[in-house]
């Protein structure tokens, strides 16, 4: 059915509807009075108020009126257009009218919810309505632009969230580029021994998924790589990826690690990143046994075959000073390449999933806990590695001096729920603290003291987990730790005293322990801000990527075609990260499988007759959508490139650029209506 | 404080027109709504896709039609959804402020703020501050001044005509007629 387009001289007939939104609007705005007032305004043929405009009967009301009263403009005063513009345009279209004859007025978010004086809010509702009533006569019939979508997907970050999203999409037949900054995928989860609430082994569930990513025909896995540039828009993003040199030819390395054994360094000597420096590695190394891809890398900072230090451009120079026993061991596989340089890949994708995760709070920022000062104070991630059977101590919980701790304190909420550091609750720390308490007890039979502010265990199976672990007989002390200091009675062993006030008994406790575990909170990456700019995303004030709508669009962003998964959007546990990754994959697929993107027709065009050829608009366009026709001496806008910001429109000295949906006349009449007198 | 104190002596309250970009500031105002952050009701928001769309004529038109102040909201520097529309807006804003000063309009009546989609709290603060400031400045009343200005122009025309008549109609000779193109930014 071709939409009805009113004839040029057909009189404008507006249907106006104000929604009660239950009582959300009606409690603060006298909707009846507003509807009565709007009925008196020019061109208004129908003016109604209704309980829920977005409900089926509400939409039906509009459609019936369009047919019965031959309406050719619709104004709905309700919630934010960012929420329901689509709904009412659809309703308008369903009755045969072009959807762009519909205009929404935001009287809930911008009025009833934020004001306290009913008379004033009612007057404001009238003024806002009047603005729309003045505006809609200028509306034109517009066509939604359909552009094809590139079916390939980019996933940034290969933690559990990125892995799950990648597999979901790849299994559905989509081509996925998974870009991971570190030399291996796996993220934080790969470092854990067991996971709450089930205490199942982390790698047992994770490593099959990692391996599936590594071998999937639909996944291009680019580790040790970073996104350098993103251009374009939904359906058609052009992305540049930088692949840092690992001095190993990926296709030739078989992962045999014979080079590692043959390295001139007989013993591992350098702090091992994967084990947070608790273990040692050689200059050529595999990050950890189950790393994916199972490919070694060379650290040019310590490898003898490189000159010490970086060049100013960040590269390293080969010194050729080493015997290169590794190269001999590699033999005719020839996988080692000291001359490897950074490689740049350019890809085009239609959608992007951000899954860059989090970083743990740096406990040195709260020095009274003694982290970085006393050797026996650890952060939780380090302890995860100590407990891990494939960790630096092969699962033995021993202190730096090789002793088993007999008393262990676990301090909750380090860098969480704290005005001086991070105000948010990191959501996972109470539960992983209980997990660590259980595992430490299991491995060492030590006496464990948990210091918590509030025990927060929401979620399926979590309270049960807490009860189960609590029954194992650990000390649960409700109180904030104020100080950690060396035990004056036992300085030599490195024992420390944990001082806290037990807020249930109002007693100051001073407990000597052998080991302190700081349950550090989750933080956004410090570079999240750069990433956000690169991908044109928004961040919450804390620095987490901002979702489009907390409840209704929790994995979408304000940039169409970019979705969020896992902890980059906020602290969450593994089950929630995976659920969100599945949702992000589904959202991306919903776009891809439609085959095209519908674009808001808010692009600009030039009225050639009026263009004076001054060229002021041309340098203003960030998308180079405006060019100059030398023969006619007129500017031309390429509609396919225009994104509809309207910057050129505002700058044109002869008023010869028009932006659809935001025409000058539309804005001027909106201003007029806003400022027209309203009844007292 | 939720709403700024109103001057009890008069029933006048300012009317402020706001132009907010769709991606950051408009969304922030939605967030203020969802979070029920109560604020003054004098500001009426017009949604544009980008602060770069704010034509200085919109501002002048709003003042001419009776607004006592105009608030422009856009994304923070580097955060514009369209890369740099907010810089273009800033440039125009600076020029516009100079022009308003020449017209005798207080600079506080026009305010430009960068408000991100997460800053509902800032929407509330800026609106309350702006309402307070404009309340203090009092009504701008440009529509009411048009009559006086028209009269002034008529007087002026009459005086010139009278002078020309007295000089025997030769006064205008030799000087080029001056036409002014409207100022554009
Ligand atoms: C000590 C500790 C114990 C925990 N224990 C449990 C538990 O028992 N059970 C549970 O459910 N949850 C637990 N959690 C929470 C769990 O770690 C998270 O829910 C989970 O890791 C989130 O996965 P993710 O993929 O979102 O993020 P991450 O695991 O952080 O993965 C993000 C990935 O993105 C990569 N990346 C980052 N920036 C970039 C970039 N710019 N470009 C490319 N790649 C990038 C990173 O290198 C990383 O590989 C624990 C957390 C901590 C700190
Ligand atoms: S989109 Fe917000 S200022 Fe450009």
């Amino acid at each position: 059915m071709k939409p009805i387009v009113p004839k040029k001289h057909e009189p404008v007939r507006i249907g106006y509807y104000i929604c009660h939104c239950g009582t959300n609007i009606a409690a603060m705005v006298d909707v009846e009075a507003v509807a009565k007032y709007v009925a008196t305004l020019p061109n208004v043929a129908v003016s109604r108020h209704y309980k829920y405009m977005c409900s089926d009967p509400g939409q039906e009301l509009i459609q019936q009126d369009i047919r019965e009263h031959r309406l050719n403009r619709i104004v709905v005063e309700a919630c934010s257009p960012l929420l329901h513009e689509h709904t009412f345009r659809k309703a308008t279209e369903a009755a045969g009218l072009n959807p762009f004859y519909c205009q929404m007025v935001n009287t809930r978010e911008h009025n009833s919810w934020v004001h306290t004086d009913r008379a004033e809010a009612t007057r404001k509702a009238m003024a806002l309505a009047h603005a729309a009533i003045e505006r809609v006569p200028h509306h034109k019939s517009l066509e939604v632009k359909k552009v094809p979508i590139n079916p390939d997907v980019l996933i940034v970050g290969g933690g559990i969230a990125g892995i799950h999203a990648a597999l979901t999409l790849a299994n559905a037949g989509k081509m996925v580029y998974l870009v991971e900054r570190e030399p291996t995928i796996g993220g934080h989860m790969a470092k854990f021994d067991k996971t709450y609430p089930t205490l199942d082994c982390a790698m047992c569930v994770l490593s099959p998924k990692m391996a599936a990513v590594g071998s999937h025909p639909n996944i291009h896995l680019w580790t040790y790589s970073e996104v350098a540039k993103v251009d374009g828009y939904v359906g058609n993003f052009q992305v540049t990826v930088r692949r840092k040199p690992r001095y190993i030819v990926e296709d030739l390395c078989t992962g045999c690690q014979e080079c590692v054994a043959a390295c001139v360094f007989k013993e591992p000597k350098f702090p091992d990143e994967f084990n947070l420096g608790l273990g040692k590695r050689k200059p050529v190394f595999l990050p950890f046994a189950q790393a994916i891809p199972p490919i070694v890398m060379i650290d040019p900072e310590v490898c003898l075959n490189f000159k010490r230090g970086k060049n100013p451009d960040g590269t390293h120079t080969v010194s050729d000073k080493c015997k290169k026993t590794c190269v001999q061991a590699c033999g005719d596989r020839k996988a080692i390449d000291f001359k490897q340089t950074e490689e740049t890949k350019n890809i085009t994708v239609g959608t992007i999933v951000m899954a860059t995760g989090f970083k743990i709070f740096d406990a040195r920022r709260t020095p009274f806990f003694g982290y970085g000062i006393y050797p026996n104070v650890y952060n939780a991630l380090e302890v995860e590695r100590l407990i891990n059977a494939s960790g630096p101590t092969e699962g033995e919980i021993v202190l730096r001096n090789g002793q088993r701790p007999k008393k262990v304190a676990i301090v909750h909420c380090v860098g969480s729920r704290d005005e001086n550091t991070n105000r948010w609750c990191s959501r996972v720390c109470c539960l992983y603290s209980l997990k660590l308490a259980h595992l430490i007890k299991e491995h060492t039979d030590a006496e464990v003291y948990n210091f918590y502010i509030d025990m927060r265990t929401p979620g399926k199976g979590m309270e049960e987990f807490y009860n189960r672990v609590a029954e194992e007989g650990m000390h649960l002390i409700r109180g904030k730790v104020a100080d950690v200091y060396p035990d004056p009675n036992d300085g030599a062993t490195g024992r420390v005293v944990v001082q806290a006030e037990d807020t249930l008994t109002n007693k100051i406790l001073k407990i000597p322990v052998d080991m302190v575990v700081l349950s550090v909170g989750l933080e956004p990456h410090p570079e999240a801000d750069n990433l956000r700019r690169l991908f044109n995303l928004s961040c919450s004030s804390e620095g987490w990527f901002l979702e489009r709508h907390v409840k209704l669009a929790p994995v979408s962003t304000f940039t169409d075609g970019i979705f969020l998964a896992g902890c980059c959007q906020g602290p969450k546990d593994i089950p929630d990260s995976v659920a969100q990754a599945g949702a992000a994959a589904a959202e991306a697929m919903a776009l891809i499988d439609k085959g095209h993107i519908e674009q808001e027709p808010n692009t600009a065009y030039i009225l050639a007759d009026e263009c004076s050829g001054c060229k002021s608009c041309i340098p203003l366009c960030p998308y180079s959508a405006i060019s100059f026709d030398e023969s006619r001496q007129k500017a031309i806008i390429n509609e396919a490139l225009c994104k509809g910001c309207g910057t050129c429109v505002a700058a044109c000295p002869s008023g010869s650029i028009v932006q659809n949906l935001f025409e000058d006349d539309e804005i001027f009449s909106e201003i007029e209506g806003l400022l027209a007198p309203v009844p007292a | 404080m939720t709403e700024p104190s109103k001057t009890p002596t008069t029933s006048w309250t300012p009317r402020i027109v706001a132009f907010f970009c769709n991606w950051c500031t408009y969304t922030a105002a939605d967030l203020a709504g969802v979070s029920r952050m109560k604020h003054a009701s004098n500001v009426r928001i017009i949604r544009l896709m980008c602060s770069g769309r704010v034509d200085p004529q919109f501002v002048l038109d709003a003042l001419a039609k009776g607004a006592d102040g105009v608030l422009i909201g856009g994304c923070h520097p580097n955060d514009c959804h369209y890369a740099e529309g907010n810089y273009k807006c800033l440039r125009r804003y600076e020029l516009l402020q100079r022009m308003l000063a020449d017209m005798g309009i207080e600079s506080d009546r026009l305010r430009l703020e960068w408000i991100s989609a997460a800053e509902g709290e800032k929407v509330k603060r800026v609106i309350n501050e702006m309402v307070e400031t404009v309340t203090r400045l009092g009504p701008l009343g440009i529509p009411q001044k048009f009559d006086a200005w028209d009269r002034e122009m008529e007087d002026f025309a009459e005086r010139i005509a009278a002078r020309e008549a007295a000089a025997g109609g030769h006064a205008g000779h030799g000087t080029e007629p001056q036409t002014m193109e409207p100022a554009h930014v």
Side-chain angles (χ1 to χ4, degrees):
Chain A
M1 175 173 56
K2 202 150 173 60
I4 304 168
V5 176
K7 306 250 161 37
K8 248 255 141 89
H9 299 294
E10 198 179 308
V12 169
R13 296 176 58 79
I14 306 175
Y16 168 84
Y17 305 84
I18 181 163
C19 180
H20 299 202
C21 193
T23 56
N24 279 302
I25 294 169
M28 191 46 64
V29 171
D30 184 345
V31 286
E32 214 170 315
V34 179
K36 251 194 210 144
Y37 163 73
V38 173
T40 67
L41 297 178
N43 300 320
V44 177
V46 174
S47 176
R48 302 185 194 276
H49 57 93
Y50 186 73
K51 206 152 182 80
Y52 285 109
M53 281 312 297
C54 63
S55 67
D56 281 349
Q59 296 183 48
E60 189 50 46
L61 189 65
I62 297 177
Q63 292 170 21
Q64 208 175 325
D65 282 349
I66 292 177
R67 289 187 209 106
E68 272 176 27
H69 297 271
R70 289 172 294 108
L71 301 179
N72 50 28
R73 301 291 189 280
I74 298 297
V75 172
V76 184
E77 179 153 8
C79 53
S80 171
L82 303 184
L83 211 61
H84 269 310
E85 188 170 59
H86 191 66
T87 312
F88 295 114
R89 280 184 179 169
K90 275 256 175 301
T92 305
E93 193 172 24
L97 195 61
N98 181 283
F100 298 98
Y101 285 118
C102 170
Q103 170 78 8
M104 269 195 90
V105 176
N106 185 343
T107 212
R108 192 180 70 174
E109 282 81 346
H110 291 191
N111 189 9
S112 67
W113 273 351
V114 288
H115 302 320
T116 47
D117 182 324
R118 194 156 194 264
E120 273 185 34
T122 302
R123 275 200 297 279
K124 180 164 170 180
M126 289 174 177
L128 295 173
H130 198 155
I133 299 294
E134 293 290 338
R135 187 189 212 271
V136 285
H138 300 279
H139 279 212
K140 311 245 156 60
S141 168
L142 297 169
E143 294 267 326
V144 171
K145 262 196 308 180
K146 287 188 180 172
V147 292
I149 181 167
N150 183 308
D152 299 352
V153 188
L154 167 70
I155 298 181
V156 189
I160 181 60
I163 289 173
H164 187 75
L167 287 174
T168 308
L169 285 158
N171 288 339
K174 312 299 170 209
M175 193 56 81
V176 173
Y177 296 91
L178 176 55
V179 174
E180 165 61 54
R181 192 173 54 178
E182 300 299 324
T184 172
I185 55 171
H188 283 92
M189 189 177 172
K191 297 195 162 73
F192 308 154
D193 183 49
K194 302 263 162 50
T195 55
Y196 71 75
T198 45
L199 291 178
D200 51 345
C201 142
M203 276 321 277
C204 306
V205 287
L206 182 60
S207 68
K209 290 187 85 126
M210 289 171 60
V213 167
S215 60
H216 206 295
N218 289 346
I219 299 180
H220 295 273
L221 173 58
W222 289 339
T223 53
Y224 209 41
S225 304
E226 268 174 86
V227 174
K229 194 156 172 260
V230 183
D231 277 326
Y233 47 90
V234 54
N236 188 24
F237 291 104
Q238 286 92 41
V239 183
T240 307
V241 179
R242 270 205 320 253
R243 306 210 56 198
K244 293 171 271 186
R246 61 201 293 161
Y247 305 104
I248 301 292
V249 184
E250 281 194 24
D251 295 340
L252 301 180
C253 175
T254 60
C256 68
Q257 297 183 61
E258 283 168 29
C259 53
V260 180
C263 177
V264 293
F265 284 94
K266 288 285 160 265
E267 289 302 320
K269 194 177 159 195
F270 306 99
D272 156 8
E273 293 81 1
F274 190 79
N275 285 319
L276 302 125
L278 294 173
K280 300 257 189 287
R281 62 157 169 83
K282 295 186 178 180
V284 56
F285 65 101
L286 189 69
F288 69 106
Q290 295 115 309
I292 296 288
I295 291 173
V296 297
M297 65 175 284
I298 292 174
D299 177 359
E301 290 284 324
V302 293
C303 172
L304 293 185
N305 209 39
F306 286 93
K307 288 203 178 118
R308 290 287 70 83
K310 270 187 198 155
N311 300 324
D313 64 353
T315 60
H316 290 83
T317 310
V318 180
S319 69
D320 247 347
K321 288 261 167 69
C322 184
K323 279 194 283 181
K324 296 189 277 282
T325 42
C326 55
V327 177
Q328 291 156 22
C330 191
D332 48 16
R333 282 168 289 206
K334 293 198 168 57
I336 299 178
D337 174 9
F338 291 108
K339 299 241 160 60
Q340 200 174 52
T341 51
E342 187 174 276
E343 194 187 352
T344 306
K345 296 266 191 190
N346 292 308
I347 52 172
T348 303
V349 296
T351 47
I352 298 176
V353 176
M354 299 298 291
T356 48
F358 65 96
K359 90 176 233 312
I360 54 167
F361 174 78
D362 181 353
R364 279 171 300 198
R365 281 168 59 196
T366 43
F368 48 91
F369 292 129
Y371 182 79
I373 304 170
Y374 310 120
N376 294 344
V377 180
Y378 294 80
N379 72 37
L381 203 54
E382 290 167 338
V383 177
E384 293 278 358
R385 290 314 295 154
L386 289 180
I387 295 175
N388 199 300
S390 60
T393 55
E394 285 159 356
E396 277 283 304
I397 302 180
V398 288
L399 300 169
R400 289 184 218 266
N401 62 10
Q403 300 273 309
R404 264 193 183 195
K406 294 194 190 68
K407 283 179 158 197
V408 179
I410 301 181
V411 183
H412 291 219
C413 302
V414 174
S416 300
R417 306 182 64 200
D418 174 15
E419 286 298 325
N420 298 319
T421 54
N422 296 326
R423 285 197 290 178
W424 58 88
C425 164
S426 294
R427 251 184 77 180
V428 297
C429 325
C430 278
L431 285 151
Y432 82 57
S433 300
L434 292 168
K435 169 184 79 175
L436 291 178
H438 163 86
L439 293 173
I440 291 170
K441 248 187 126 40
E442 188 181 76
H443 284 236
T444 63
D445 205 26
E447 196 83 1
V448 180
Y449 302 83
N450 270 281
F451 294 88
Y452 65 96
I453 306 178
D454 296 294
M455 192 60 80
R456 295 192 166 175
T457 59
K460 190 173 174 182
M462 303 299 181
E463 184 71 7
E464 294 86 333
F465 174 71
Y466 162 56
N467 285 328
R468 175 185 149 194
V469 176
E471 274 167 22
E472 291 170 1
M474 63 188 66
H475 304 274
L476 291 167
I477 300 161
R478 187 173 183 281
K480 253 186 163 166
V481 171
D483 202 3
V484 174
Y485 54 87
D487 187 350
N489 304 324
D490 196 355
T493 58
R495 183 181 281 200
V496 290
V497 177
V498 175
Q499 182 179 319
E501 183 187 352
D502 183 333
T503 51
L504 296 179
T505 59
N506 277 345
K507 273 201 196 115
I508 301 282
L509 302 177
K510 293 180 184 173
I511 301 176
V513 295
D514 306 308
M515 179 184 205
V516 178
V517 183
L518 301 180
S519 296
V520 284
L522 277 51
E523 274 186 346
H525 285 290
E527 335 68 75
D529 214 45
N530 296 337
L531 267 190
R532 167 175 79 92
R533 298 225 159 104
L534 199 58
F535 289 89
N536 203 352
L537 301 172
S538 301
C539 278
S540 67
S541 44
E542 298 88 21
W544 306 106
F545 293 143
L546 194 66
E547 63 284 339
R548 191 170 196 130
H549 191 278
V550 242
K551 293 171 206 140
L552 302 179
V555 301
S556 304
T557 65
F558 287 98
T559 302
D560 285 337
I562 304 191
F563 304 99
L564 304 176
C567 288
C568 61
Q569 181 259 347
K572 55 181 67 66
D573 58 16
I574 294 165
D576 284 1
S577 297
V578 171
Q580 212 181 20
E587 294 278 1
M589 268 189 281
L591 281 182
I592 298 166
D593 288 352
K594 201 169 175 189
H596 63 261
I597 307 281
E598 292 186 353
Q599 271 181 352
E600 184 86 350
N602 56 15
T603 45
Y605 60 93
I606 306 238
L607 301 169
D609 287 348
E610 275 156 53
C611 172
S612 66
C614 74
K615 302 187 189 173
S616 359
C617 52
I618 293 173
L620 293 179
C621 181
Y623 308 105
S624 312
I626 317 181
S627 55
F628 195 67
D629 179 344
E630 290 291 345
S631 64
R632 293 167 59 230
Q633 290 289 303
K634 306 274 180 200
I636 327 170
I637 296 181
N638 179 343
E639 203 201 343
L641 295 179
C642 173
K643 306 270 181 332
C645 64
T647 301
C648 58
V649 190
C652 177
S654 56
S656 50
I657 313 184
V658 182
Q659 183 187 11
N660 286 325
L661 288 172
F662 295 90
E663 295 188 15
D664 280 349
D665 284 346
E666 290 171 343
I667 311 295
F668 283 126
S669 48
E670 219 175 326
I671 298 173
E672 169 126 39
L674 271 188
L675 294 166
V678 283
Chain B
M1 185 199 79
T2 51
E3 307 212 2
S5 54
K6 296 191 191 76
T7 24
T9 45
T10 101
S11 63
W12 173 84
T13 50
R15 287 187 303 169
I16 295 168
V17 173
F19 298 98
F20 283 0
C21 85
N22 182 64
W23 301 101
C24 283
T25 316
Y26 192 90
T27 313
D30 276 6
L31 176 63
V34 174
S35 323
R36 312 296 200 276
M37 293 172 176
K38 306 293 180 208
H39 53 256
S41 60
N42 315 52
V43 173
R44 284 127 177 71
I45 300 167
I46 293 180
R47 181 170 69 110
L48 299 172
M49 291 315 284
C50 175
S51 66
R53 177 67 183 95
V54 179
D55 188 327
Q57 294 195 57
F58 295 166
V59 177
L60 297 176
D61 191 62
L63 297 176
K65 287 192 178 127
D68 301 295
V70 172
L71 172 62
I72 304 172
C75 313
H76 284 269
N78 280 324
D79 286 356
C80 170
H81 194 76
Y82 307 97
E84 46 197 33
N86 49 3
Y87 286 115
K88 310 289 156 53
C89 177
L90 176 63
R91 290 198 321 215
R92 289 175 197 146
Y93 165 84
E94 300 282 353
L95 284 175
L96 194 53
Q97 278 291 16
R98 287 223 293 256
M99 186 172 160
L100 292 181
D102 288 345
M103 293 164 68
I105 295 175
E106 300 90 340
S107 66
D108 282 352
R109 291 192 189 268
L110 173 63
R111 183 163 172 173
L112 171 64
E113 280 292 341
W114 309 136
I115 305 180
S116 85
E119 294 177 318
E121 185 68 37
K122 186 165 179 188
V123 169
K124 168 185 153 174
R125 178 171 59 77
V126 166
I127 286 183
N128 281 345
E129 281 173 10
M130 176 105 187
V131 169
E132 223 172 47
T133 312
V134 176
T135 305
R136 214 172 330 105
L137 291 173
L140 180 60
I142 295 215
Q144 293 76 17
K145 287 180 189 152
F146 276 130
D147 278 349
W149 286 340
D150 286 349
R151 246 179 285 120
E152 210 175 299
M153 285 309 288
E154 278 161 24
D155 282 357
F156 190 55
E158 272 170 27
R159 277 213 309 279
I160 291 181
R163 233 185 24 221
E164 283 186 3
H170 293 296
H173 265 287
T175 49
E176 288 294 314
Q178 298 209 340
T179 48
M180 285 270 279
E181 280 287 314
H184 289 292
V185 191

